[in-house]
């Protein structure tokens, strides 16, 4: 017997929905490290910050590596057995993180957490998509909820670390995972999802090559500045290893009967333009490092206050999600919704450009963080929807791992790395420009050290202001691109007067609507159908 649901038949539908929401609230924010407590991890373990940045990237890489094989794993095991085991393993990994002082353990556990987290998430995707029906509305609700929970998790990780220590939040997460495992052992059915499929068709070597490609790339992003880029043999060797791994991965996919990845979808117009927009979305998401430097380094915020800034994005995230649900329900074109997201991000960058002063007040953060939350959520929803639109389920799953890594890791990592390099260069230039005021007439030798801090802070402000200026100028070009792109709409339309005069236009439109609705339902339920 098969059961395409998650829970036993005797469990009421509202209780099933509550359990799904609880799973999403716990599993989606879970990771090897949390942005809110990285500074506490550094001070508690004595390791460099770069290790925990590497671990942060590793979570996304693990999710991307799992994505092409999630359906095969889903159909191989019983739902209850798999879910309970995964929750227990996630809890154990979180507990291991709470007890270790070795940074490499955080890196490997983050990679495994990302891999297993995606297995749990796919179980929740399909029932929710079938319940909601409309894929765009599903994205609007899902991404809104997940992004809100990520901000909440980052804040409470910082609060736990401040009130107790950094280990306590990992223990708290482990306990939640164990409790959910016990609950789902009781309420979940013990049947297969569909016909049991073998696992030996999974190409584990391709998975290892995928992981090695992006883990070596993540090492370059994380440690590049600390090791002075190409002046370091480690960075050069890691770059070569990433290139060779990707080349071997690509060659292997061309020789396999059942390839792990598919590159066919990257020839499609909407995928190419979607990846292009996701790349520039990474430009705006990478400003988190600039914002942290300004808030902590210049304004002197503690880590809890800095984490509270992320909470200020929640109203903007919710507004973007509500608008997305209404937008997709009315089936309006995507262009203006995507345009509004990039416009909000540019508004955030403009406000930050003019706010680079030492007297910046905490109350002044409300508007820019609202715009950033709105822009982030709306672009996550709309660009992801547009990129994966009109793709078959097998095509989408075979390449979605690469798209996920591109969106969350590569694009953000490239711009975060670029910003750190530019900030250092611009600071050196700014200090050289400010040196003209450090002669014996304006700053006496006795007062030089007293003024060094102010000079350094002004150099950081000047460097950050320059970078935000470049972001604004680039963003205006992106807005022009979005305004001129067709987004799949027909460029030329004409009226069919024969059908109108013949009284067939109403019937034709109705048949088109019915066919479109049927195809959308089949696509949304493609997982259960397979």
């Amino acid at each position: 017997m098969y059961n395409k649901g998650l829970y036993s038949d005797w469990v009421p539908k509202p209780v099933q929905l509550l359990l799904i929401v609880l799973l999403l609230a716990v599993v989606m924010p879970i990771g090897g490290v949390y942005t809110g407590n990285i500074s506490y991890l550094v001070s508690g373990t004595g390791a460099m910050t770069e290790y925990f940045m590497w671990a942060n990237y590793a979570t996304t890489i693990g999710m991307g590596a799992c994505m092409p094989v999630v359906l095969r794993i889903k159909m191989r095991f019983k739902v209850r057995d798999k879910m309970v085991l995964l929750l227990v393993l996630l809890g154990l990994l979180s507990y291991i993180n709470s007890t270790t002082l070795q940074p490499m353990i955080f890196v490997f556990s983050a990679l495994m957490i990302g891999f297993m987290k995606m297995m749990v998430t796919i179980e929740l995707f399909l029932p929710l998509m079938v319940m909601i029906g409309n894929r765009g509305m599903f994205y609007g609700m899902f991404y809104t909820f997940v992004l809100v929970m990520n901000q909440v998790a980052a804040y409470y990780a910082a609060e736990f670390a401040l009130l107790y220590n950094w280990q306590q939040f990992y223990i708290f997460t482990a306990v939640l995972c164990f409790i959910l495992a016990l609950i789902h052992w009781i309420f979940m059915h013990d049947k297969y999802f569909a016909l049991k499929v073998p696992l030996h068709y999974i190409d584990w070597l391709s998975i290892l090559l995928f992981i090695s490609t992006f883990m070596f790339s993540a090492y370059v992003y994380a440690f590049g500045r600390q090791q002075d880029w190409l002046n370091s043999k480690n960075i050069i060797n890691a770059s070569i290893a990433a290139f060779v791994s990707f080349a071997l991965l690509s060659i292997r996919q061309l020789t396999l009967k059942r390839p792990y990845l598919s590159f066919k979808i990257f020839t499609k117009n909407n995928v190419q333009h979607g990846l292009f927009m996701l790349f520039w979305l990474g430009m705006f998401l990478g400003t988190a490092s600039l914002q942290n430097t300004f808030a902590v380094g210049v304004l002197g915020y503690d880590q809890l206050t800095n984490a509270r800034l992320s909470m200020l994005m929640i109203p903007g995230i919710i507004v973007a999600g509500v608008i997305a649900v209404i937008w997709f329900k009315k089936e309006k074109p995507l262009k203006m919704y995507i345009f509004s997201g990039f416009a909000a991000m540019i508004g955030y960058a403009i406000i930050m450009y003019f706010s680079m002063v030492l007297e910046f007040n905490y109350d002044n953060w409300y508007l820019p963080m609202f715009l950033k939350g709105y822009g982030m959520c709306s672009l996550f929803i709309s660009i992801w929807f547009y990129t994966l639109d009109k793709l078959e389920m097998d095509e989408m799953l075979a390449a979605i791992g690469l798209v996920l890594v591109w969106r969350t890791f590569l694009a953000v990592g490239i711009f975060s790395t670029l910003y750190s390099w530019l900030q250092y260069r611009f600071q050196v230039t700014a200090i050289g420009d400010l040196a003209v005021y450090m002669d014996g007439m304006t700053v006496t030798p006795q007062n030089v050290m007293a003024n060094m801090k102010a000079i350094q802070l002004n150099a950081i402000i000047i460097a950050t202001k320059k970078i935000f200026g470049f972001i604004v100028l680039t963003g205006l070009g992106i807005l022009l691109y979005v305004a001129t792109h067709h987004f799949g709409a027909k460029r030329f339309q004409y009226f069919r007067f024969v059908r109108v005069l013949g009284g067939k236009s109403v019937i034709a439109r109705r048949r088109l609507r019915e066919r479109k609705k049927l195809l959308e339902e089949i696509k949304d339920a493609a997982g259960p159908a397979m």
Side-chain angles (χ1 to χ4, degrees):
M1 293 295 294
Y2 306 126
N3 189 332
K4 292 179 170 55
L6 288 179
Y7 301 97
S8 301
D9 295 334
W10 55 267
V11 182
K13 297 295 183 182
V15 176
Q16 293 186 24
L17 182 59
L18 176 63
L19 291 173
I20 290 175
V21 171
L22 283 175
L23 263 179
L24 280 173
V26 173
V27 174
M28 288 310 298
I30 197 172
V33 296
Y34 302 92
T35 55
N37 69 352
I38 286 181
S39 61
Y40 297 102
L41 287 172
V42 172
S43 61
T45 61
M48 293 187 296
T49 308
E50 286 76 14
Y51 281 106
F52 302 107
M53 292 171 57
W54 193 16
N56 193 31
Y57 290 140
T59 303
T60 302
I61 295 169
M63 293 173 67
C66 181
M67 199 65 211
V69 298
V70 285
L71 268 186
R72 184 166 290 275
I73 294 175
K74 175 180 175 60
M75 291 189 287
R76 173 61 181 82
F77 302 102
K78 293 182 179 180
V79 176
R80 185 177 70 179
D81 297 344
K82 185 180 72 172
M83 188 70 74
V84 171
L85 178 62
L86 289 173
L87 287 171
V88 169
L89 290 176
L90 287 172
L92 287 175
L93 287 171
S94 293
Y95 179 75
I96 289 172
N97 286 341
S98 71
T99 59
T100 185
L101 298 178
Q102 299 299 321
M104 287 306 299
I105 292 181
F106 284 92
V107 175
F108 287 112
S109 68
L111 181 68
M112 295 304 299
I113 285 173
F115 195 89
M116 290 186 287
K117 183 167 78 169
M118 185 53 70
M119 293 186 200
V120 176
T121 306
I122 196 65
E123 298 289 349
L124 310 178
F125 274 173
L126 298 177
L128 289 174
M129 287 182 74
V130 173
M131 287 167 58
I132 296 173
N134 185 301
R135 190 164 60 95
M137 293 173 63
F138 165 73
Y139 283 165
M141 296 178 185
F142 177 78
Y143 274 118
T144 301
F145 181 79
V146 170
L147 290 174
V148 168
M149 291 309 302
N150 284 341
Q151 312 313 316
V152 172
Y155 172 76
Y156 279 105
E159 187 172 32
F160 270 66
L162 181 67
L163 295 177
Y164 309 105
N165 53 52
W166 60 268
Q167 291 99 332
Q168 294 301 316
F169 190 75
Y170 287 105
I171 295 175
F172 176 70
T173 305
V175 171
L176 287 179
C177 288
F178 294 147
I179 292 174
L180 281 177
L182 179 61
I183 292 174
H184 282 76
W185 177 260
I186 298 171
F187 290 103
M188 273 190 165
H189 65 75
D190 60 346
K191 299 182 176 67
Y192 286 99
F193 171 78
L195 183 67
K196 188 169 72 169
V197 297
L199 287 182
H200 63 263
Y201 290 132
I202 296 177
D203 186 41
W204 297 103
L205 179 58
S206 293
I207 295 178
L208 290 176
L209 289 172
F210 181 96
I211 291 173
S212 66
T213 297
F214 294 108
M215 286 300 288
F216 281 122
S217 302
Y219 179 87
V220 174
Y221 289 163
F223 287 88
R225 181 181 176 184
Q226 184 261 337
Q227 298 189 17
D228 197 16
W229 301 107
L230 296 180
N231 291 321
S232 168
K233 288 184 179 180
N234 291 337
I235 297 299
I236 295 174
N237 292 336
S239 302
I240 295 172
F243 178 79
V244 171
S245 298
F246 186 72
L248 292 174
L249 176 66
S250 303
I251 293 170
R252 185 164 178 79
Q253 304 319 298
L254 298 176
T255 59
L256 287 176
K257 183 179 179 181
R258 298 178 181 86
Y260 167 71
L261 292 176
S262 173
F263 301 101
K264 292 180 181 179
I265 72 165
F266 297 106
T267 61
K268 296 182 181 293
N269 184 267
N270 63 302
V271 176
Q272 293 172 354
H273 286 278
L275 291 176
F276 179 76
M277 287 185 286
L278 288 173
F279 179 76
W280 294 112
L281 172 60
M283 179 182 71
F284 293 106
L285 297 180
T287 56
S289 59
L290 299 176
Q291 179 182 307
N292 289 337
T293 301
F294 178 62
V296 178
V298 177
L299 300 180
Y301 290 170
D302 58 36
Q303 291 301 321
L304 185 60
T305 305
N306 187 42
R308 195 175 290 122
L309 294 180
S310 299
M311 298 285 284
L312 298 181
M313 290 195 293
I314 291 179
I317 293 172
I318 294 174
V319 169
V322 171
I323 292 176
V325 171
I326 298 172
W327 203 278
F328 285 108
K329 186 176 182 180
K330 294 186 177 181
E331 297 186 354
K332 291 186 176 182
L334 277 175
K335 176 183 285 191
M336 292 312 298
Y337 187 56
I338 294 178
F339 188 90
S340 70
F342 278 115
M345 283 297 199
I346 293 173
Y348 160 77
I350 291 174
I351 294 174
M352 294 307 297
Y353 176 83
F354 288 107
S355 301
M356 290 291 127
V357 292
L358 292 171
E359 298 79 19
F360 190 78
N361 194 346
Y362 186 84
D363 294 336
N364 296 334
W365 284 105
Y366 287 107
L367 179 58
M369 298 311 292
F370 175 87
L371 292 174
K372 186 178 182 180
Y374 175 87
M376 179 174 66
C377 185
S378 61
L379 293 176
F380 264 60
I381 295 167
S382 55
I383 299 178
W384 194 251
F385 178 88
Y386 174 68
T387 304
L388 302 180
D389 194 24
K390 299 176 183 177
L391 295 180
E392 299 297 332
M393 178 60 71
D394 55 347
E395 289 182 330
M396 185 171 68
L397 286 176
I400 197 172
L402 283 173
V403 180
L404 177 67
V405 170
W406 173 267
R407 181 195 69 181
T408 313
F409 161 60
L410 283 177
V412 178
I414 287 171
F415 282 103
S416 297
T417 304
L418 178 64
Y419 293 158
S420 66
W421 181 79
L422 287 176
Q423 200 164 36
Y424 173 75
R425 295 298 177 186
F426 290 161
Q427 281 183 51
V428 173
T429 304
I431 290 176
D433 295 338
L434 291 170
V436 69
Y437 301 105
M438 297 174 62
D439 56 16
M441 296 298 293
T442 54
V443 180
T444 62
Q446 293 79 12
N447 295 329
V448 168
M449 294 307 298
N451 289 276
M452 282 300 293
K453 183 178 180 180
I455 292 171
Q456 186 179 14
L457 292 180
N458 278 285
I460 295 174
I461 287 175
I462 292 169
T464 310
K465 192 181 185 78
K466 277 186 180 180
I467 297 173
F468 272 113
F470 287 127
I471 291 172
V472 171
L473 293 176
T474 308
L476 294 176
I478 299 169
L479 281 185
L480 180 63
Y481 160 79
V482 173
T484 55
H485 185 54
H486 57 84
F487 287 99
K490 293 180 179 179
R491 300 187 183 186
F492 304 101
Q493 294 182 348
Y494 60 92
F495 293 102
R496 296 192 175 186
F497 291 103
V498 176
R499 281 194 171 185
V500 174
L501 294 174
K504 299 180 181 179
S505 61
V506 175
I507 299 174
R509 285 199 299 270
R510 186 175 64 190
R511 286 178 177 173
L512 284 174
R513 284 197 302 269
E514 291 175 352
R515 184 172 181 272
K516 182 178 180 181
K517 183 178 179 181
L518 178 61
L519 289 174
E520 194 71 26
E521 290 176 352
I522 292 173
K523 186 175 182 180
D524 289 342
M530 290 177 66

